């Protein structure tokens, strides 16, 4: 009760049905190794990595396959011991063919990871720390896959006052962060400690929604006495896990339009990223696997799986017994996730869930005219006017869209969810944003 | 009664005063304009399509008078219009090769492999963002007709394979379809350039054939058969260099195993063209 009273939130937002009960009680299990892994050289935002091994080379699990090709780029490691089969174009979940590295796993290898000596992070200067994070191949594991080390590079004159650890997991169906906080709370807290101390943050706050009260208790239990780390319970609302909403909910601070959290002296990281930091600095394990929630009415055996990066989606779904009713597979959550055109695409570093939906569960409403009810305005956490943006997008008035701050839209989909007329608001906005970016790159 | 008279007098007085001001402004602040400008603009089609590179027909007319462009730069005007503009200005009409938009994909319905069913906002640009649409080929035409909608001249119609067919006579080479296509499949080229590679997939061999029945599989036979230097293979696709090599002939297309390279006279995708292999799902 006291928790509920102290819970915070932001204004606006929506309340989609949670659907988390199917997988929230299932302990994390490890998926067996498959025979072939496909690793796109660009599964993060930024420049693609540069391969350092060749076809035919033997590689060990965790060995570096590709080096970063710039600062906004990261390292790629082998998810399994085996052989590099080829480097070729292969399908990325976004539908495009991209250069990929194929790794054939050695069926006779134990695939055991040999822990390395812990890295003395306290002794590292900040630049060395950032280099280590880049070498660990860490990206934001909440979905956007932005290279983590770039967030730690504070521009001249900037200071990270507060570190925010995002454990909201506000998307329906997804339970991977929930299970992680429940099963490895110490790793999350340890990672937060490392990052907070290296960035010189005054405080670190782990934000968790109230529907994960057991996770709140588990993480609280691990908190060191009078340390700078705290857990902040949050009301259940979508899109609480969007970093700007989270900052607003926790501190009442608004990140200005077009600015980043760093402009209000805050760095936001996902809980999975924190656990990955701990894995790297304490065991030397780079980002070669992640927890993926496999759920939805289209799978008979929902699960929270530790999946090596690069595992084909088809294999993961077959392991979880995808049934014949499944009609659509979404990578990520149902609100922001990407429907897949092909199952022969790999699990990426940013893949938090694989959801299979049946025809009955799919919601393809008929579209009617906008009745100007304003529900999308009440839903939009960024205080935009989605209905106007959608109409301008249909009319292809790109300068006006720009003036209406279309680029501040985070594409959370709350407006589409709220629309009683079935207007695909966020889809129209996304298409318009893509066109604006394309025109911008042409003009430049 | 007095009120009405006062009102009329005041309004009338104001009218006379401002009218006088306007007439003064017209006399002393007048911008001298070439009288030919209006005449030329009247002759031009007035579609403001931008194909000449100018923002509109009036800007084009200004540049015509200054001699920056020749009358034939306007690709919308008919030959008689160009003649009369040239006669009016007393300049050479110039020579112009008819240019048209060509689609670099022939993978229509039943030919390109379909792996998923896209349901959603019915525009190519929207479908392109959702897992790349339903086609196995991520370079091919999405068939949702953004180009047909954007065309101001009704020059693009979708055929029964859901491929846009450009009407050569109506196309003014304005580039609108080039800009709108999310997969950059259109290119504006002279109508006399007949060798067209109707594929943009840089896949090779079986990988290419697995996604589309008319994909270029990068075998390079066209490059061998064409006159020296005419066709170069880049990224598993033939690139035709019209000014570099010898004369282009249909010979280059004869040994193409998939029909990806075509000798096109007039419009694309004629039923009488090369037989297209039906793509069967395995």
């Amino acid at each position: 009760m006291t928790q509920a009273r102290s819970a915070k939130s932001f204004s606006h937002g929506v309340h989609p049905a949670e659907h988390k009960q199917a997988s929230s009680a299932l302990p994390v299990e490890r998926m067996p190794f498959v025979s072939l892994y496909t690793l796109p050289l660009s599964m993060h935002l930024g420049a693609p990595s540069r391969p350092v091994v060749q076809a035919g080379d033997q590689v060990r699990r965790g060995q570096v396959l590709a080096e970063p090709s710039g600062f906004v780029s990261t390292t790629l490691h082998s998810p399994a011991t085996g052989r590099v089969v080829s480097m070729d174009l292969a399908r990325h979940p976004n539908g495009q063919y991209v250069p990929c590295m194929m790794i054939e796993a050695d069926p006779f290898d134990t695939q055991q990871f040999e822990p390395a000596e812990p890295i003395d992070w306290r002794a590292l200067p900040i630049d060395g720390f950032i280099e280590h994070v880049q070498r660990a191949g860490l990206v934001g594991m909440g979905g956007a896959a932005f290279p983590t080390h770039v967030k730690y590079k504070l521009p001249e004159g900037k200071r990270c006052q507060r570190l925010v650890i995002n454990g909201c997991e506000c998307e329906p169906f997804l339970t991977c962060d929930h299970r992680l906080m429940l099963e490895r709370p110490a790793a999350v807290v340890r990672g937060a400690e490392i990052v907070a101390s290296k960035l010189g943050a005054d405080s670190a706050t782990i934000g968790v929604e109230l529907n994960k009260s057991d996770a709140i208790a588990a993480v609280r239990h691990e908190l060191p006495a009078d340390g700078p780390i705290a857990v902040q319970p949050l009301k259940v609302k979508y899109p609480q896990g969007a970093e700007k909403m989270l900052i607003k909910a926790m501190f009442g601070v608004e990140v200005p339009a077009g600015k980043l959290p760093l402009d209000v002296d805050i760095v936001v990281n996902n809980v999975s990223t924190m656990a990955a930091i701990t894995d790297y600095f304490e065991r030397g394990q780079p980002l070669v696997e992640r927890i993926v929630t496999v759920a939805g009415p289209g799978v008979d055996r929902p699960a929270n799986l530790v999946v090596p990066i690069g595992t084909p989606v088809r294999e993961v779904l077959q392991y979880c017994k995808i049934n014949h009713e499944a009609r659509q597979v979404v990578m990520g959550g149902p609100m922001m996730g990407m429907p897949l055109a092909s199952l022969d695409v790999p699990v990426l570093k940013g893949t938090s869930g694989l959801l299979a939906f049946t025809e009955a569960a799919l919601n393809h409403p008929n579209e009617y005219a906008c009745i100007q009810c304003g529900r999308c305005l009440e839903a939009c956490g960024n205080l935009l006017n989605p209905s106007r943006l959608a109409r301008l997008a249909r009319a292809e008035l790109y300068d006006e869209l720009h003036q209406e701050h279309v680029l501040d839209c985070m594409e959370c989909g709350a407006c589409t969810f709220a629309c009683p007329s079935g207007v695909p608001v966020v889809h129209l906005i996304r298409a318009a944003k893509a066109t604006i970016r394309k025109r911008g790159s042409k003009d430049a | 009664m007095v009120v009405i008279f006062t009102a009329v007098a005041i309004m009338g007085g104001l009218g006379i005063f401002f009218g006088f001001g306007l007439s003064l402004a017209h006399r002393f602040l007048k911008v001298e304009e070439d009288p030919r400008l209006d005449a030329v603009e009247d002759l031009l089609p007035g579609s403001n399509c931008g194909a000449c590179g100018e923002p509109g027909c009036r800007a084009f007319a200004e540049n015509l008078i200054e001699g920056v462009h020749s009358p034939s730069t306007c690709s919308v005007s008919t030959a008689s219009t160009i003649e009369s503009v040239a006669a009016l200005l007393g300049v050479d009409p110039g020579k112009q090769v008819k240019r048209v938009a060509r689609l670099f994909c022939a993978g229509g319905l039943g030919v390109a492999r379909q792996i998923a069913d896209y349901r959603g906002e019915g525009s190519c640009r929207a479908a392109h963002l959702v897992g790349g649409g339903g086609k196995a080929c991520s370079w091919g035409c999405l068939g949702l007709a953004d180009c047909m909608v954007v065309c101001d001249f009704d020059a693009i119609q979708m055929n029964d394979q859901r491929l846009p067919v450009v009407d050569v006579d109506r196309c003014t080479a304005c580039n609108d379809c080039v800009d709108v296509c999310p997969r950059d499949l259109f290119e504006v080229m002279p109508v006399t350039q007949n060798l067209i590679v109707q594929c943009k997939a840089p896949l090779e061999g079986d990988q290419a054939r697995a996604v589309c029945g008319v994909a270029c599989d990068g075998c390079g036979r066209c490059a061998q058969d064409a006159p020296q230097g005419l066709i170069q293979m880049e990224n598993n696709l033939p690139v035709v260099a019209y000014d570099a090599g010898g004369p282009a002939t249909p010979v280059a297309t004869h040994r193409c195993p998939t029909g990806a390279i075509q000798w096109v006279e007039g419009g694309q995708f004629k039923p009488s063209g090369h037989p297209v292999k039906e793509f069967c799902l395995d």
Side-chain angles (χ1 to χ4, degrees), chain B residues 184-266:
Chain B
D184 297 323
L185 287 173
F186 276 107
E187 212 162 287
V188 168
M189 49 200 277
V191 76
T192 50
Q193 298 187 352
N194 305 94
L195 271 182
I196 297 176
V197 186
Q198 297 185 145
C199 181
K200 277 214 166 178
L203 299 173
E204 197 182 359
D206 291 344
Q207 227 187 346
R209 291 181 199 217
V211 297
C212 181
V214 291
C216 168
D217 62 1
C219 67
R221 286 180 196 150
C222 52
Q224 286 170 13
D225 294 352
Q228 187 68 33
L230 180 69
I231 298 179
Q232 245 88 44
M233 296 300 289
E234 278 172 29
N235 276 333
N236 292 325
L237 285 170
V239 177
V240 188
Y242 283 93
D243 36 2
T249 57
V251 175
T253 68
H254 287 173
R255 283 205 299 147
C256 179
T258 58
I261 187 164
Q262 292 273 336
W263 181 261
V264 178
E265 282 173 7

Side-chain angles (χ1 to χ4, degrees), chain A residues 79-414:
Chain A
T81 299
R83 194 169 62 88
V84 182
V85 186
S86 64
M87 264 174 263
D88 212 344
L89 291 177
R91 205 178 171 99
H92 188 277
N94 70 10
Q96 306 304 307
Y97 279 72
V98 293
C100 292
M101 207 177 281
M102 320 287 178
I103 308 287
E104 188 184 56
D106 180 356
F108 302 109
D109 196 276
T110 56
Q111 302 291 5
Q112 203 71 259
F113 187 80
E114 299 126 38
E117 284 293 300
I119 298 165
D120 183 14
W121 51 271
R122 280 176 216 278
L124 286 173
I126 180 72
D127 283 335
F129 173 70
I130 288 170
E131 209 184 302
H132 267 289
V133 174
Q134 188 176 25
R135 216 179 291 159
L138 291 178
V139 300
M141 290 164 80
F146 187 73
T148 302
H149 67 275
V150 181
K151 285 189 182 177
Y152 298 161
K153 181 84 187 170
L154 306 177
E156 205 67 40
K158 285 272 180 221
R159 180 169 173 271
C160 169
Q161 223 169 52
R162 293 184 273 219
L163 177 69
V164 171
I165 312 297
N166 188 348
C168 293
E169 200 162 57
C170 56
E171 280 261 14
F173 287 98
L174 302 186
T175 52
C176 52
D177 289 352
H178 183 182
R179 291 311 303 182
L180 176 82
M181 285 187 281
L182 211 52
E183 295 178 27
R184 299 186 62 204
V188 174
V189 172
R190 190 90 181 112
E193 254 174 3
I194 295 175
V195 177
S197 114
K198 290 320 291 182
L199 294 184
D202 300 337
S203 69
T205 320
I206 306 174
V208 188
E209 284 191 349
L210 274 180
N211 56 1
K212 295 178 268 294
S213 49
D214 47 352
I216 296 176
V219 176
R220 277 217 172 120
H221 186 71
E222 292 296 328
L223 293 182
D226 45 77
I229 309 177
V231 176
Q232 173 65 54
L234 299 160
K235 284 181 190 157
V236 182
K237 194 170 13 167
Y238 183 86
Q240 191 105 250
E243 55 183 17
K244 290 187 177 182
M245 303 304 109
L246 187 56
I247 291 168
K248 185 84 202 293
M250 279 183 164
F251 311 115
V253 178
E254 206 163 289
V255 182
K259 301 276 182 176
L260 294 171
L262 203 52
D263 291 297
V264 290
D265 305 328
I266 292 174
V267 170
V268 184
N269 273 155
N270 189 269
V271 282
S272 304
T273 313
M274 288 302 104
I277 291 248
T278 311
D279 285 343
Y280 179 73
F281 283 95
E282 299 206 327
R283 313 204 298 129
Q285 181 182 334
L287 185 57
V288 291
E289 58 188 22
R290 66 158 297 145
I291 307 177
V292 178
T293 300
V294 189
V299 289
D300 290 341
R301 203 174 70 81
N304 295 298
L305 288 180
V306 173
V307 181
I309 310 290
T311 310
V313 167
R314 190 182 294 279
E315 304 256 9
V316 180
L317 290 170
Q318 273 167 359
Y319 182 70
C320 291
K321 306 229 177 323
I322 186 167
N323 56 40
H324 291 293
E325 300 294 307
R327 284 293 170 273
Q328 188 185 64
V329 174
V330 174
M331 182 176 270
M335 299 294 281
M336 285 193 75
M338 170 71 69
L340 297 177
S342 167
L343 297 184
D344 298 312
V345 294
V347 167
L348 307 178
K349 287 179 178 177
T351 303
S352 46
L354 288 170
L355 309 175
F357 294 105
T358 56
E359 190 66 51
L362 284 176
N363 180 20
H364 281 289
N366 288 331
E367 191 184 336
Y368 300 100
C370 169
I371 53 170
Q372 316 247 353
C373 65
R375 284 195 203 169
C376 52
L377 280 93
E378 282 165 18
C380 183
N382 271 340
L383 314 185
L384 301 171
N385 181 345
S387 93
R388 181 160 171 73
L389 292 176
R391 266 178 293 145
L392 289 172
R394 277 246 162 90
E396 309 198 4
L397 295 170
Y398 295 110
D399 293 338
E400 285 80 354
L401 276 165
H402 221 312
Q403 283 162 18
E404 296 273 339
H405 303 284
V406 71
L407 295 179
D408 283 320
C409 170
M410 57 189 164
E411 304 170 11
C412 70

Side-chain angles (χ1 to χ4, degrees), chain B:
Chain B
M1 207 56 186
V2 180
V3 178
I4 292 172
F5 276 122
T6 324
V8 168
I10 289 175
M11 292 311 288
L14 281 173
I16 291 166
F17 175 72
F18 285 119
F20 187 66
L22 279 175
S23 67
L24 280 181
H26 179 65
R27 174 153 306 184
F28 296 108
L29 301 175
K30 190 180 172 187
V31 179
E32 286 299 331
E33 215 171 41
D34 195 322
R36 293 177 297 172
L37 189 58
D38 284 329
V40 173
E41 201 197 351
D42 282 345
L43 284 172
L44 290 174
S47 57
N48 295 325
C49 69
C52 54
E54 299 297 336
C57 291
R58 192 167 179 89
F60 177 66
E62 280 170 15
N63 280 314
L64 265 184
I65 290 167
E66 282 169 25
V68 180
H69 294 302
S70 70
S72 62
T73 309
C74 177
S75 53
V76 186
S77 301
T78 57
S80 63
T81 309
I82 290 171
E83 295 264 309
S84 42
V85 171
L88 183 82
L89 297 175
V91 295
D92 180 45
K95 248 191 215 145
Q96 184 203 14
V97 182
K98 167 85 178 162
R99 282 152 45 91
V100 286
R102 299 293 199 188
L103 188 74
F104 280 43
C105 173
L109 215 61
V111 177
R113 180 170 180 183
Q114 202 76 22
I115 53 170
D117 175 23
Y118 168 75
R119 289 188 248 170
E121 175 64 11
S123 96
C124 306
R125 283 164 292 175
H128 179 68
L129 296 172
V130 184
K135 268 185 184 169
C137 174
S138 69
W139 295 271
C141 174
L142 288 157
L144 293 168
D146 280 14
C147 47
M148 183 178 93
V149 173
V150 83
C151 183
D152 289 332
F153 300 95
D154 287 341
I156 298 180
Q157 294 297 325
M158 303 303 285
N159 68 5
D160 51 4
Q161 278 192 313
R162 297 258 208 106
L163 286 176
V165 179
V166 179
D167 184 330
V168 173
D169 296 327
R170 290 188 172 198
C171 177
T172 63
C174 70
N175 272 306
D176 277 359
C177 51
V178 177
D179 291 339
V180 82
C181 181
R183 299 201 154 164
D184 297 323
L185 287 173
F186 276 107
E187 212 162 287
V188 168
M189 49 200 277
V191 76
T192 50
Q193 298 187 352
N194 305 94
L195 271 182
I196 297 176
V197 186
Q198 297 185 145
C199 181
K200 277 214 166 178
L203 299 173
E204 197 182 359
D206 291 344
Q207 227 187 346
R209 291 181 199 217
V211 297
C212 181
V214 291
C216 168
D217 62 1
C219 67
R221 286 180 196 150
C222 52
Q224 286 170 13
D225 294 352
Q228 187 68 33
L230 180 69
I231 298 179
Q232 245 88 44
M233 296 300 289
E234 278 172 29
N235 276 333
N236 292 325
L237 285 170
V239 177
V240 188
Y242 283 93
D243 36 2
T249 57
V251 175
T253 68
H254 287 173
R255 283 205 299 147
C256 179
T258 58
I261 187 164
Q262 292 273 336
W263 181 261
V264 178
E265 282 173 7
Q268 281 175 290
F269 313 124
K270 279 193 193 136
S272 58
H274 275 242
V276 157
K277 282 182 214 155
E278 282 286 310
F279 187 81
C280 49
L281 294 173
D282 34 44

